[in-house]
Amino acid sequence: MLKEKLLIVDDQDDLRKMLRLALGYGKYKLFEAADGETALAIARAEKPDVILLDVMMPGKLDGIAVCRAIKADPELAGCFVLMLTARGQASDYASGDAAGADAYMVKPFSPTKLVEVVEMRTRLDKPVRGYGF
Amino acid sequence: MSRALSGLRVLLNRRLVLGLGALLLAAATSEAATPILMVHSYSQEYAWTRGQHDGFVAALKADPDVTLAFSTEYLDTKRRSYDAVYAQAMADNLRVKYAGYRPAAIYVSDDNALLFARDHLVRLFPAAPIFFSGINDYAVGQSLDPRQFTGIFEKKEIAPNIDWLLRLDPGLRTLVFVGDGSNTHAAAEREIRKDLAGYPALQGRFVGERRLDRMLEQLPKEPSQTLFLTTLGGMTDTGGEVLPLTDTLRALSQGGRRVISMEDAYVRDGVLGGFVTHGARQGAGAARLLLDHLHGTPLAEIPPVLKSPNTYLFDDAVLEALKLNLPEDVAKQSTLLNPRMTFFDAHRPLIVGGLYGLSAALVLSILAALLIVMRKYRELILAHDVAEKSGRLLIEAVSSIEQGFTIYDEHDRLVVCNEAYRNFYATSADLIVPGNTFEEIVRRGAERGQYVDAAGRVDEWVASRVAQHQAADGKVVEQRLGDGRWLLIVEHRTPSGFIAGNRIDITALKRATAVIEDRNAQLDATFQLSPDGLVSLGRNGHVENVNSAFVDTTGISAAEIVGQPMEELERRLRELSEAPEQWPGLETCFFEPEVGAGETAPTGARRRHQLVLSRPRAAVLDLLGITSTAAAVGRLLYMHNVTRETEVDRLKSEFLAHAAHELRTPMAGIYGFTELLMNQEFDEATRQDLLATIHKQTQWLVDIINELLDLARIEARRGKDFRIDPVALAPLVREVVATLQTDAARWPVTVEIPDDLPAVRADVAKLRQALTNVLGNAAKYSPAGGAIDIHGATLDSDGRAMVGISVTDRGIGMTAEQAARVGERFYRADTSGNIPGSGLGMAIVKEIVVLHGGQAQIVSSPGVGTTVTLWLPAASADDGTQLVTHLSPSTPNPIQEPS
């Protein structure tokens, strides 16, 4: 059986490491990107099942733009996009929603909860706050 | 013969006895009244008993030969049934009560009292003869001693009643006998049944019921509504309480029932009547027997009367109501209660009242005529008085008004004036007398300084004033008096050629006008000087005035806009607006806020909205329209400039959002890694790595917090807490380098500061912080081994001597675009998180340098490196007392001097 593909997009090395550890070795086929352009390129090439997407990233494409592009691509639209952000304002969720994100988690978040959301593909109509359990 | 003789003897004997009796009576009367004890079976409230009592007493009193003293007792056996125990108790009571009392006779009414007399009274009062009445039980007679007892029996006679009823209503088939169900009723029923045997065509029905309500339920079911009453003394209500007889009788006779009584006491309250036993007749009968005895007849010779002294008794009002006419012979024998009235009786109040009314009317009309005559006479006298007074009143009225009033004749001589006029011109009051000319009066006043305008030109002024006066054309003249008062004068020529003058004191009005003018001037100044834009609009909706703040904010000059309609003002403002299509326009500023049902508008609430201008420069205006109630100004448009407040608000919330974001980033690492460590097993190396990461992130968090606090402190104080001294730069730089350079091999530093570099004016602690941040950045962004150079320089900036320190690294560098953003809060060139930092370090540097009156300069090139130069004002020669050189003398000096 083929492993599910999961793409981690965050400009911070430590955070990517933490997500990597949380998701466990060998369970998923993991891809990583530190900026929007790389993330979009990997997504188009690998067609991942899940994308963990940081909102605030340097470069031309931030997380919202990447999400919008993925959801606009018919080949990628089915992929489960979980937005990660350090900003917790209502306007931010709204823009994530508009971009078609499936779920939204606010930093700091519980890695356990994140793994649960990813495994269950839980569509969160409300953002998960820091201590989201 | 012998028979005749014996008759005569008897007659003689009788006479003798009578004579003796009369003597005895006379003797008794002369000494004391004869005591008579009366004992009634029932109570004094019981009508039948009262009838017997009254009949007995009245009959006795009718005899002038006897004087009697009565004592009365009531057994009250309607309330309490008569039995041996009760009888004994009553007897005991009477024994005590009447100890030593010797009645000449005893009278008892009704059966129970007779039994009581037979069983007890005979023992209590052994010698007293006993007279009775109202005894229904004929059988009791057998048990009485005829030497001591005699009296009247009572029998309710049914037969005479049936006779008259059948004559009245031959079709009568059923009679209903009603009673209270008592023993008396039962006895009556037995008697009646016997009597009814003589009338085979008649059916008798008997209703014996103690409770009235049940009886009233029963009666409508009976086949006849002709009722015969037996005895009703024991009727009760639903609670068992004995009812007043009136209530019972009224209830029974309602609904047109023919209620026939065989007892006089019941003939009332709607009861028709009948051939009745008669209490008074019973009592009177007993009294006659007693009188016989008192007049000498031995009791044994006075036998009881067995025939009940009954009589016809009807209530005429009931007969009339039931439309019954008694047979003539019965009517003749009958006693009628409430007899029908004759025409005069029936209408007596009307006839008498009418007569009274007629005579009263007659008297009144005579009085009225007299009054009218007197009044007319009074009116004549009054009219005469009024005519006399009116002249006087006119003069008084003119004198009492506050206006000054004058009349001058055709030769301009004063005819009449009032007191107010004299008071206005008090200075020349001595000349204001009839006969003097107007000119004489005003000239003297002018000479005495009474008219302010006349000062220094009396002749000219007098001539003009006299001409004005004589023109008398009704024009309004204002005149200022020497004492500061103002008068308003109007003069008219009357049809007869006189000049009538009228003067009013308008001093108060003048003062009020001055106050208003003053207020207007103040308001105008306020309007012009207001820091917020103001536009006044006239009633016609055109712009009347704008103030300088308006002109300044909008760039629209007063000349351009004054006189233009509000629509034009709105068009001009819309041109300047940032979002013209979204601005609702001026009219909405003037609407009162809409108030929903049941709500009240907050006091002073106005609809306001914001207008954001992009030209001539960005501005945010709060617009508020005020509709004036004053007549002169229609509307006022108030443009409160909130640009600065809006910008500050925006910056504040942006800063907070940034700060929160910056704090969340390291916290995400700490939170996530600690959770992983708690939940998962890791090998030792990974554990150490994770802990180091957590430690790093925590340090980062602490740095951010410290720098946020630093920045907040600097911002809040805005340099007010700076202790400015001349500071020598070389020692300070070396100190900072020493503190930071924990690994000299990793980032070698060269310091090139000339010895003659002037000192700077600075707060040494703040400057140290700025240098630490700059040097720290240089170290952080330099790859391992990258050297850092520190140079000193001077510069003349517009005559001000500045001293600079440059820090050059050979690190990653920045694009021009990135370099321009350095110093923005939270801006970081590196976002990977690999180089810790808050993004606030350079912001703090910039703040510190600027607050010192200096400048921070950044030159950078990607991949080459960055140079940051801090320019600070140089300390002049006479500046300060002591140069701060030794800051931390203990600090070693590890800096490599260039060779």
Side-chain angles (χ1 to χ4, degrees):
Chain A
M1 183 186 150
L2 280 172
K3 279 186 192 170
E4 281 196 312
K5 291 178 183 174
L6 192 146
L7 169 60
I8 299 171
V9 188
D10 199 305
D11 58 342
Q12 291 201 32
D13 301 348
D14 285 339
L15 208 97
R16 289 202 303 276
K17 178 161 80 182
M18 195 258 279
L19 292 172
R20 217 155 51 222
L21 288 171
L23 289 160
Y25 297 103
K27 202 165 184 180
Y28 297 94
K29 186 166 186 201
L30 293 177
F31 301 89
E32 290 184 25
D35 59 71
E37 288 86 345
T38 316
L40 205 52
I42 294 176
R44 287 191 170 129
E46 298 294 336
K47 314 220 168 11
D49 301 281
V50 178
I51 302 179
L52 308 183
L53 185 55
D54 185 25
V55 172
M56 295 267 285
M57 283 185 300
K60 287 184 190 125
L61 290 177
D62 65 0
I64 301 289
V66 172
C67 180
R68 196 177 294 122
I70 285 168
K71 289 294 176 185
D73 186 334
E75 290 204 318
L76 294 173
C79 131
F80 184 83
V81 178
L82 170 56
M83 304 289 287
L84 305 175
T85 182
R87 297 172 65 114
Q89 276 144 330
S91 58
D92 301 319
Y93 316 142
S95 52
D97 257 7
D102 294 284
Y104 209 109
M105 290 184 91
V106 181
K107 293 178 188 174
F109 52 82
S110 157
T112 317
K113 178 74 185 173
L114 177 130
V115 170
E116 189 189 308
V117 170
V118 166
E119 285 182 355
M120 306 301 290
R121 305 284 197 277
T122 316
R123 286 183 176 275
L124 301 172
D125 52 355
K126 266 193 229 161
V128 175
R129 278 259 169 208
Y131 307 91
F133 45 84
Chain B
M1 181 67 202
S2 65
R3 240 178 126 174
L5 273 174
S6 68
L8 185 67
R9 198 166 59 234
V10 171
L11 199 70
L12 277 172
N13 276 348
R14 280 230 170 130
R15 285 223 176 119
L16 191 69
V17 172
L18 268 174
L20 274 169
L23 276 173
L24 273 168
L25 274 171
T29 311
S30 63
E31 284 174 18
T34 308
I36 305 288
L37 175 64
M38 298 194 281
V39 180
H40 297 296
S41 292
Y42 308 121
S43 80
Q44 54 268 58
E45 304 305 327
Y46 193 55
W48 169 251
T49 297
R50 204 160 56 230
Q52 290 188 86
H53 180 101
D54 292 348
F56 179 75
V57 172
L60 290 177
K61 284 191 174 166
D63 190 328
D65 296 335
V66 294
T67 307
L68 303 169
F70 297 103
S71 298
T72 314
E73 291 298 324
Y74 297 89
L75 297 182
D76 207 2
T77 54
K78 289 284 181 192
R79 181 176 304 280
R80 203 278 187 209
S81 61
Y82 183 76
D83 57 29
V85 176
Y86 179 58
Q88 186 60 56
M90 282 301 289
D92 292 343
N93 175 31
L94 294 188
R95 179 178 293 114
V96 175
K97 187 173 177 180
Y98 290 97
Y101 178 74
R102 293 279 174 273
I106 296 172
Y107 167 56
V108 294
S109 69
D110 296 314
D111 298 69
N112 289 336
L114 179 60
L115 294 179
F116 185 67
R118 181 192 70 186
D119 298 337
H120 294 283
L121 294 178
V122 290
R123 279 194 281 281
L124 288 173
F125 310 109
I130 294 168
F131 297 82
F132 56 80
S133 71
I135 305 304
N136 300 107
D137 187 0
Y138 280 75
V140 81
Q142 304 299 318
S143 65
L144 302 176
D145 180 351
R147 287 166 303 171
Q148 200 175 1
F149 287 86
T150 190
I152 314 290
F153 283 92
E154 179 212 350
K155 179 165 168 35
K156 291 186 172 67
E157 289 175 280
I158 186 76
N161 279 308
I162 292 174
D163 288 345
W164 71 257
L165 252 178
L166 283 175
R167 289 172 64 192
L168 218 64
D169 180 6
L172 192 67
R173 288 293 169 268
T174 310
L175 293 174
V176 183
F177 296 87
V178 298
D180 60 12
S182 64
N183 291 339
T184 319
H185 168 76
E189 184 179 337
R190 283 191 296 279
E191 291 293 316
I192 291 163
R193 281 189 191 280
K194 272 187 239 164
D195 288 340
L196 278 177
Y199 300 91
L202 276 178
Q203 187 204 1
R205 293 186 56 83
F206 292 85
V207 180
E209 171 58 62
R210 192 169 169 79
R211 274 176 53 175
L212 179 62
D213 57 320
R214 289 189 184 145
M215 183 182 279
L216 291 174
E217 265 174 43
Q218 175 66 28
L219 286 179
K221 299 171 193 160
E222 293 297 329
S224 167
Q225 293 304 307
T226 300
L227 307 184
F228 267 74
L229 304 180
T230 62
T231 182
L232 297 169
M235 296 302 293
T236 69
D237 62 15
T238 52
E241 197 66 29
V242 174
L243 285 164
L245 191 59
T246 297
D247 293 1
T248 307
L249 294 177
R250 280 194 185 142
L252 291 176
S253 56
Q254 262 175 8
R257 292 189 195 106
R258 275 187 294 191
V259 184
I260 291 138
S261 172
M262 294 179 284
E263 183 180 330
D264 66 335
Y266 295 163
V267 186
R268 58 192 177 104
D269 297 314
V271 173
L272 175 59
F275 191 67
V276 297
T277 59
H278 200 282
R281 283 173 163 237
Q282 288 276 337
R288 273 191 294 277
L289 298 182
L290 172 58
L291 285 173
D292 269 1
H293 175 63
L294 288 178
H295 288 300
T297 311
L299 212 62
E301 290 179 24
I302 307 174
V305 179
L306 299 176
K307 170 83 175 106
S308 183
N310 294 355
T311 183
Y312 285 105
L313 180 66
F314 290 97
D315 188 325
D316 202 23
V318 180
L319 281 171
E320 193 180 4
L322 294 175
K323 298 186 176 61
L324 296 176
N325 286 312
L326 292 173
E328 207 170 318
D329 58 319
V330 174
K332 270 184 187 160
Q333 298 174 55
S334 295
T335 305
L336 289 182
L337 301 175
N338 303 318
R340 287 170 218 198
M341 287 186 282
T342 61
F343 179 82
F344 177 73
D345 285 334
H347 301 91
R348 189 194 186 94
L350 203 69
I351 294 164
V352 174
L355 282 173
Y356 273 119
L358 279 172
S359 33
L362 189 64
V363 169
L364 276 175
S365 43
I366 293 166
L367 278 174
L370 272 171
L371 265 173
I372 290 165
V373 170
M374 284 170 70
R375 222 193 198 152
K376 283 285 169 203
Y377 181 66
R378 262 175 63 89
E379 277 173 12
L380 278 173
I381 294 171
L382 277 173
H384 179 73
D385 277 0
V386 166
E388 210 174 56
K389 273 182 188 166
S390 56
R392 221 166 44 235
L393 279 172
L394 201 62
I395 294 165
E396 280 175 17
V398 168
S399 311
S400 67
I401 56 174
E402 284 176 22
Q403 300 176 14
F405 175 76
T406 58
I407 295 177
Y408 286 84
D409 66 10
E410 65 271 38
H411 307 298
D412 217 2
R413 290 178 188 281
L414 181 63
V415 177
V416 69
C417 71
N418 68 354
E419 208 45 41
Y421 178 72
R422 288 169 184 280
N423 291 341
F424 283 151
Y425 303 108
T427 316
S428 46
D430 55 331
L431 281 171
I432 303 176
V433 287
N436 281 349
T437 65
F438 182 76
E439 186 177 349
E440 282 166 349
I441 293 169
V442 293
R443 181 173 294 280
R444 182 62 58 84
E447 284 164 5
R448 292 178 186 172
Q450 190 160 252
Y451 308 100
V452 174
D453 291 345
R457 51 181 194 110
V458 172
D459 285 341
E460 188 194 337
W461 183 84
V462 169
S464 129
R465 178 72 190 99
V466 168
Q468 212 173 33
H469 172 74
Q470 288 179 352
D473 53 6
K475 278 190 185 150
V476 174
V477 178
E478 285 189 4
Q479 189 176 72
R480 194 169 163 205
L481 298 181
D483 59 6
R485 281 187 296 171
W486 282 85
L487 294 184
L488 191 139
I489 305 170
V490 181
E491 285 156 325
H492 282 283
R493 181 77 63 178
T494 67
S496 44
F498 287 15
I499 299 165
N502 213 342
R503 285 163 177 75
I504 309 171
D505 185 340
I506 56 163
T507 314
L509 193 68
K510 278 280 181 187
R511 280 185 193 142
T513 311
V515 167
I516 289 166
E517 278 166 5
D518 196 37
R519 176 80 48 85
N520 279 344
Q522 282 178 14
L523 281 177
D524 199 43
T526 311
F527 184 85
Q528 283 303 335
L529 295 174
S530 164
D532 294 311
L534 286 167
V535 178
S536 71
L537 297 151
R539 289 264 153 205
N540 59 4
H542 288 227
V543 175
E544 286 200 333
N545 204 356
V546 295
N547 70 351
S548 52
F550 169 84
V551 174
D552 186 47
T553 311
T554 60
I556 302 170
S557 72
E560 283 176 85
I561 199 68
V562 168
Q564 297 293 327
M566 189 170 83
E567 292 69 33
E568 173 62 11
L569 173 67
E570 182 174 318
R571 194 186 64 76
R572 294 293 303 269
L573 290 174
R574 201 179 287 283
E575 277 178 5
L576 303 173
S577 168
E578 185 184 77
E581 65 286 349
Q582 281 164 24
W583 183 44
L586 288 174
E587 196 57 51
T588 58
C589 313
F590 292 98
F591 292 145
E592 292 292 327
E594 280 164 34
V595 178
E599 296 170 21
T600 49
T603 314
R606 296 280 195 285
R607 166 93 46 104
R608 58 170 76 220
H609 63 246
Q610 278 193 347
L611 170 63
V612 182
L613 298 185
S614 59
R615 286 182 297 143
R617 61 180 170 278
V620 183
L621 304 175
D622 253 1
L623 298 190
L624 173 60
I626 297 160
T627 301
S628 168
T629 50
V633 185
R635 289 165 155 190
L636 198 65
L637 180 65
Y638 174 67
M639 310 167 87
H640 182 39
N641 195 328
V642 292
T643 315
R644 199 181 137 67
E645 289 89 326
T646 312
E647 179 62 9
V648 167
D649 278 355
R650 192 186 64 78
L651 287 175
K652 262 188 203 158
S653 49
E654 197 171 86
F655 177 79
L656 275 176
H658 268 297
H661 173 253
E662 289 305 319
L663 291 169
R664 281 175 197 278
T665 304
M667 252 190 285
I670 297 168
Y671 190 78
F673 284 119
T674 46
E675 192 178 296
L676 288 176
L677 281 168
M678 285 189 293
N679 293 346
Q680 291 186 27
E681 294 292 330
F682 293 104
D683 58 68
E684 187 53 29
T686 312
R687 260 172 49 81
Q688 285 301 327
D689 179 46
L690 295 188
L691 286 171
T693 310
I694 291 167
H695 188 259
K696 186 177 76 187
Q697 304 267 13
T698 310
Q699 183 57 52
W700 183 7
L701 198 60
V702 172
D703 287 346
I704 294 170
I705 291 167
N706 283 338
E707 288 183 345
L708 277 172
L709 289 173
D710 282 342
L711 193 63
R713 205 178 295 125
I714 291 164
E715 285 243 299
R717 310 227 173 116
R718 306 248 26 113
K720 283 183 203 120
D721 61 340
F722 283 9
R723 276 198 55 214
I724 303 294
D725 292 305
V727 177
L729 286 175
L732 183 63
V733 169
R734 289 195 192 94
E735 182 205 323
V736 172
V737 169
T739 314
L740 288 179
Q741 199 184 36
T742 47
D743 181 4
R746 201 175 155 225
W747 44 283
V749 177
T750 56
V751 179
E752 281 176 23
I753 297 178
D755 290 341
D756 58 348
L757 190 74
V760 294
R761 288 169 41 75
D763 178 309
V764 70
K766 293 286 177 298
L767 186 54
R768 185 190 293 123
Q769 189 179 3
L771 279 172
T772 306
N773 286 2
V774 173
L775 211 58
N777 270 351
K780 273 196 290 189
Y781 291 99
S782 292
I788 295 167
D789 300 326
I790 302 176
H791 297 271
T794 56
L795 176 78
D796 187 89
S797 162
D798 296 335
R800 283 172 76 215
M802 306 294 282
V803 180
I805 295 187
S806 331
V807 177
T808 304
D809 66 54
R810 288 169 185 79
I812 56 175
M814 290 177 284
T815 61
E817 196 190 2
Q818 286 174 314
R821 297 188 61 190
V822 170
E824 262 180 41
R825 281 159 199 191
F826 303 110
Y827 177 77
R828 300 196 61 207
D830 171 88
T831 55
S832 69
N834 300 331
I835 301 170
S838 64
L840 289 172
M842 284 305 289
I844 290 171
V845 170
K846 209 171 157 188
E847 283 284 340
I848 290 173
V849 173
V850 168
L851 286 173
H852 276 93
Q855 208 183 345
Q857 196 180 50
I858 293 160
V859 179
S860 186
S861 164
V864 177
T866 305
T867 300
V868 177
T869 311
L870 306 183
W871 293 103
L872 292 158
S876 54
D878 58 338
D879 210 354
T881 49
Q882 195 190 342
L883 191 64
V884 181
T885 49
H886 272 278
L887 301 147
S888 308
S890 60
T891 310
N893 186 357
I895 294 173
Q896 298 169 4
E897 295 292 338
S899 48

